[in-house]
Amino acid sequence: MRQRPLLLRQEHWLRTNGLPLVVPPLRRLRGIVPRTVPLLIALMFIATGLTIADAAVSDETVDLFELISRPVVLTTLIIAGVVALLGIPASIGYARAQNKLSARVQLWVGLGIIVFWLFGLSLIARLAQATQGLHMSVELRIGFLVLAALAGYYGAGSILGWAGRRSAREMTSTIPAIARILPLLILTVLLVFFTTELWALSAVMSKARMWMLSGFLSLMIVLIVLPTSFDLLDEVKDDDDCEPLLENTPFAGLRPHDSQLSSGERFNLVAVTAAVQFIQIAIFAVATFTVFALFGSLTLTNDLIAKWTGVPSEPLVILGVALPLEAHMFRVCVILALFSGISFAASMLQDSMYRSLFLDRVADEVRLNLAARNRYRATLTTEGQAPARWSALVDVD
């Protein structure tokens, strides 16, 4: 296959690395149909599943507990559920497969899927006599098409794909580092785990207040991470020494074109920087929750929990399913995990060991992203593709 021009390879790299807003607005319209289609495919499978389910129950109302005696209806509903669930792998599979297609084929396939989304599903619903309202109306499908196009324009799929890949990669590097510091941090909050006041609080706190407390503690983490992300971005004054980081990228060997960041670029660069830190903190909080939940399950009895809380012990129930974890213990573990997450986020700023284990890698990624952006700007300028308003942002000596 013929190699794509340098500018397109650079834009592909930026999108793959979660930086779609670095691409100028007008150039983001290029390939908008192929970027819209993967999300539309997932929605199409869901809509098809809903249409099948609608046709299965359109003749009469069937009680949930009577489905066993109606095998045809039950089988059709199961098929509808399977079709809807296939939307995610089908979307991901097509997103990967279309990269091997030419731009013209991608466009025609995308337009065909859009036409089927707007008109084909209506024909299927009419032929299947779906009348119960489960299937998506054409007005709703038009709305979803607009949302999918906006997601493709702003690179939501690129960002989500990057976040998934980055989370998997962060797991392999963060977990060994967390294993080094988790025992020490657990010891500092272990006594809090046995504080009866905390258990009494978990008993009297309503679900709404528990959600509010969790949201407040999460907000505290955000307030720690965001200034750090801005500082990491502002610390990069010169990227002339970033050439080793740019190896095996379409930006290697190019001279940078330094200029002010636009608001969209700054938002995107700060967002991916903060996202990496949030992933690290989330992994640490989950590890802390798991340790305390296992420790509590092994050491605490239901009678002791009832004595500390002042109310009878009860299992944790989610969506009608009783889980093998005491409900009050779950709340205590969540609170401790979030507090530990706050402590972890603050330690990354103050402790040199935490910074070397976690934040230095993030700083290198910031330098790489900013260096790639500057060289992409240089390529745009060289090829005469830079927006006119950028001429006012160029630093002139």
Side-chain angles (χ1 to χ4, degrees), residues 45-344:
F45 273 80
I46 294 174
T48 303
L50 289 174
T51 302
I52 295 174
D54 195 323
V57 299
S58 61
D59 56 344
E60 59 179 300
T61 301
V62 180
D63 187 82
L64 178 63
F65 297 101
E66 294 179 0
L67 287 177
I68 299 298
S69 61
R70 304 287 297 276
V72 176
V73 176
L74 179 60
T75 302
T76 306
L77 290 176
I78 292 175
I79 293 174
V82 171
V83 170
L85 291 176
L86 285 175
I88 295 178
S91 174
I92 296 174
Y94 178 77
R96 294 179 177 178
Q98 73 173 348
N99 292 327
K100 301 178 181 179
L101 305 176
S102 66
R104 178 169 297 185
V105 173
Q106 290 183 39
L107 177 61
W108 283 110
V109 172
L111 291 176
I113 291 175
I114 291 175
V115 170
F116 178 80
W117 170 257
L118 292 176
F119 305 105
L121 289 175
S122 295
L123 179 61
I124 291 176
R126 179 170 298 182
L127 294 176
Q129 298 181 347
T131 59
Q132 293 298 313
L134 292 177
H135 64 284
M136 292 185 184
S137 64
V138 64
E139 294 83 4
L140 186 59
R141 294 202 302 276
I142 291 175
F144 276 125
L145 176 60
V146 173
L147 289 177
L150 289 175
Y153 176 75
Y154 287 105
S158 300
I159 294 175
L160 290 176
W162 168 85
R165 293 188 301 271
R166 195 64 177 80
S167 298
R169 198 174 80 195
E170 199 64 31
M171 291 278 287
T172 60
S173 56
T174 299
I175 289 181
I178 287 177
R180 295 177 57 182
I181 64 172
L182 186 60
L184 180 61
L185 192 58
I186 290 293
L187 288 176
T188 61
V189 295
L190 185 59
L191 292 179
V192 181
F193 183 75
F194 293 103
T195 303
T196 56
E197 289 80 6
L198 180 60
W199 289 86
L201 179 66
S202 69
V204 300
M205 187 180 298
S206 64
K207 290 184 178 180
R209 288 185 177 274
M210 184 65 193
W211 279 106
M212 291 172 61
L213 176 61
S214 300
F216 174 76
L217 295 178
S218 300
L219 178 62
M220 295 297 294
I221 295 175
V222 173
L223 293 178
I224 295 174
V225 169
L226 282 183
T228 306
S229 302
F230 280 103
D231 291 342
L232 289 173
L233 187 62
D234 293 336
E235 286 175 2
V236 182
K237 301 300 183 182
D238 187 3
D239 64 0
D240 288 335
D241 60 342
C242 292
E243 196 60 35
L245 297 175
L246 294 170
E247 290 182 3
N248 302 318
T249 73
F251 309 98
L254 301 179
R255 296 298 302 170
H257 191 168
D258 296 332
S259 55
Q260 280 185 317
L261 295 172
S262 67
S263 57
E265 290 174 324
R266 179 171 289 273
F267 170 81
N268 202 169
L269 288 165
V270 170
V272 296
T273 304
V276 176
Q277 297 175 74
F278 287 137
I279 292 170
Q280 294 175 341
I281 295 170
I283 294 173
F284 181 83
V286 170
T288 304
F289 174 89
T290 303
V291 169
F292 277 114
L294 291 174
F295 181 77
S297 299
L298 293 173
T299 59
L300 303 181
T301 64
N302 290 337
D303 292 338
L304 183 57
I305 293 175
K307 180 180 179 181
W308 284 351
T309 58
V311 296
S313 175
E314 57 185 30
L316 175 66
V317 179
I318 298 179
L319 298 177
V321 179
L323 302 179
L325 184 65
E326 208 278 334
H328 303 100
M329 186 187 302
F330 172 79
R331 293 187 172 192
V332 169
C333 292
V334 168
I335 294 173
L336 291 180
L338 290 174
F339 270 115
S340 299
I342 295 175
S343 176
F344 175 74

